[in-house]
Amino acid sequence: MRTSIIGLFFFIFCVSLCKAQTDNTPTKAQQEIITLSKSKWDWMADKNVDALSALFDEKAVFVHMGGSWGKEREIAVIKSGGIHYKKADIHAVSVNIIGNTAILLNNITLLAVVGGNEVTNPFIVTEVYIKEGGKWKMGSLSFTKVNSPGPQR
């Protein structure tokens, strides 16, 4: 009897431990956003404005260190090379989904060419996606410069 009770407690402990480990696993929708965000960094590096135009909502806003603007200007800046997002090293990512809105935080080190100068900066990037008609569209992309890259809280 005593062995059964100890075995039962051990089983409950293992189930609780397994559940705690799986709680950090992204849901299908969260993983979809994470994959979309990674694709977006690739499209920005490749200056793939067709893919980015399809991703960005017409009312999307973009906040940079030097100002903020809408979709048309963001696409023009990427196309002209005014800002060339060469490589984003992603250190951490999290996604919260609220209804049909997903908020993704990327902790990155960004290598970019801005105004002809190559720069590397650590950022927390906030990306907001809205699901309409079964498709995710980007509604906002905001860069917040941090002192050093590190894990998100």
Side-chain angles (χ1 to χ4, degrees), residues 33-34 36-38 40-42 44 52 55-56 61-65 74 78 83 85 87-96 102-112 120-129 138-153:
I33 293 297
I34 291 168
L36 186 59
S37 175
K38 286 180 181 175
K40 180 240 339 130
W41 289 119
D42 292 338
M44 291 173 114
L52 292 169
L55 175 64
F56 299 163
V61 292
F62 301 86
V63 180
H64 296 270
M65 292 170 49
E74 182 72 9
I78 292 169
I83 299 175
Y85 304 91
K87 186 172 187 327
D89 287 326
I90 301 170
H91 306 293
V93 62
S94 67
V95 179
N96 287 319
I103 303 168
L104 178 140
L105 296 179
N106 265 326
N107 189 320
I108 67 167
T109 300
L110 180 64
L111 171 62
T120 302
N121 286 301
F123 289 106
I124 294 177
V125 180
T126 305
E127 301 173 25
V128 178
Y129 295 88
M138 177 175 274
S140 178
L141 176 73
S142 300
F143 291 85
T144 302
K145 189 170 188 259
V146 292
N147 291 331
S148 63
Q152 294 174 211
R153 295 180 200 177

